[in-house]
Amino acid sequence: MPSTFLYGANVAANGIRQHYLRYGGASGARAARAAVIVIPGITSPAITWGFVGEVFGAAFDTYVIDVRGRGLSEASDTLDYSLDAQADDIVALAAVLGLERYALVGHSMGARIAARAALRASRGLASVVLVDPPVSGPGRREYPGKLPWYVDSMALARKGTDAEGMRAFCPTWTDDELRLRAEWLHTCDERAVLASYEGFHTDDFHADAAQLKVPSLLVTAARGDVVRDEDVAELQRATPAMQHVRVPDAGHMIPWDNAAGFYAAFGSLLGAPLVVEATENAVA
C-alpha cells in the first residue's frame, strides 16, 4: 500500500504546543468524510501509531497526535496533565485545524481523553471510538497495568537504551517494535505519565461514557483484563446505542496483535471501511 503520510507539524492550541502527524489529507473521497483524530495511550508518542495512521489515511484525513507530555508536544514541570486539560487540547486542536466534522479514535488513555473531550466539543464531533479503555476509577478495581512497568522502562530509555534493553519489558514484541520504543520512550515525560496513571483511578470514565451523544463504538481485546464482559454490559446499559466489537487473538495493544481484526471492528461507523492491503507494524 502506498504511504499516505503527508507531514508532521506543530500548532499552538489550548495554550500549548501540540504536535501531530497527518495522513491522507482532505482530497478526493476523503473530503466528504469526517476527519479522524487518533489519540494514543499513556506512553505512546504519535510516531508509534504511524502504521495505523497509514491505514486510516487511505480513507480519511487523519491526524495522529502527541498527547501533551509525550513525543514532540509541550512538556514542563508546570504543565497541567489532568484529563480535563488533555480533553481541552483535543477540542482546541480540532478548532485550530479548522475541522468542520471529525471523529475521535482513542486507545487506552486516549479513549478516556476522547470520552471527556466529547463532552466539551460544542460542534463538529461526528463519532467516538473507544479502544480498550481503562475502566478503573473511583470505587472500581485497579487498572491491571502496574506503574513500575512504565516508570522503570522510561528511566532506562532516558539513560539511552536499545531494543534489547526494552525486551525485558515487552518480550513478545518484534525487533522493529522494540527499536522504535527504545528510540521514542524517553519523550514521555514521567510527570505526565504519573498524572495520567493516577487519573486512571480517580477520574470517572463510566460517567463520561454514559453522556456520549454521538455515535460510539467500543472496541475491546479478547485477551487481557482491561475491559471485562461485565464492564461492556455496564457501558452499554448506560449508553444503549454504543456498539461493541471484541477483537479475537488480541491483547491490550490490539492493532499490534490483530491488525486485520482491529480495522474490521470499525465497520462503516466512520463513513467508510478501513481496507488493508499491507501494513508494517511499529509499536506503542
Side-chain angles (χ1 to χ4, degrees), residues 7-235:
Y7 56 81
N10 297 287
V11 295
N14 196 30
I16 68 166
R17 181 189 70 253
Q18 296 194 48
H19 176 261
Y20 64 88
L21 303 175
R22 189 180 185 188
Y23 297 82
S27 60
R30 289 182 292 259
R33 300 168 185 155
V36 174
I37 299 176
V38 177
I39 313 170
I42 189 168
T43 54
S44 295
I47 194 170
T48 65
W49 276 72
F51 73 102
V52 174
E54 291 279 9
V55 174
F56 273 77
F60 307 99
D61 187 15
T62 302
Y63 302 80
V64 184
I65 71 161
D66 277 325
V67 176
R68 60 169 58 200
R70 285 87 173 172
L72 301 181
S73 286
E74 190 166 331
S76 79
D77 58 1
T78 61
L79 203 61
D80 181 358
Y81 290 119
S82 68
L83 181 60
D84 282 337
Q86 293 168 332
D88 287 340
D89 285 347
I90 303 302
V91 177
L93 177 69
V96 169
L97 294 176
L99 303 181
E100 295 185 0
R101 292 180 65 247
Y102 62 95
L104 300 179
V105 176
H107 171 253
S108 193
M109 176 193 75
R112 292 172 70 106
I113 296 171
R116 181 65 59 90
L119 308 183
R120 302 164 110 77
S122 59
R123 58 177 297 274
L125 183 62
S127 59
V128 175
V129 181
L130 309 172
V131 182
D132 225 40
V135 293
S136 48
R140 298 181 179 274
R141 70 178 186 277
E142 292 185 356
Y143 179 60
K146 301 307 179 185
L147 188 58
W149 187 90
Y150 301 101
V151 172
D152 294 348
S153 60
M154 286 188 297
L156 184 63
R158 285 194 301 272
K159 293 177 181 177
T161 191
D162 57 12
E164 286 306 311
M166 287 290 104
R167 197 175 301 278
F169 298 93
C170 313
T172 64
W173 291 6
T174 68
D175 288 346
D176 286 344
E177 291 168 349
L178 292 169
R179 276 192 290 270
L180 192 61
R181 186 164 182 83
E183 180 184 1
W184 282 91
L185 184 58
H186 77 91
T187 69
C188 295
D189 190 294
E190 184 174 300
R191 294 160 296 199
V193 173
L194 291 175
S196 293
Y197 189 88
E198 180 181 359
F200 285 177
H201 303 93
T202 57
D203 294 314
D204 193 341
F205 166 73
H206 283 263
D208 290 346
Q211 298 179 67
L212 292 174
K213 298 296 191 294
V214 297
S216 59
L217 169 66
L218 176 67
V219 179
T220 62
R223 300 199 310 264
D225 195 37
V226 176
V227 186
R228 299 174 181 172
D229 290 342
E230 57 266 32
D231 302 318
V232 174
E234 180 180 354
L235 288 165

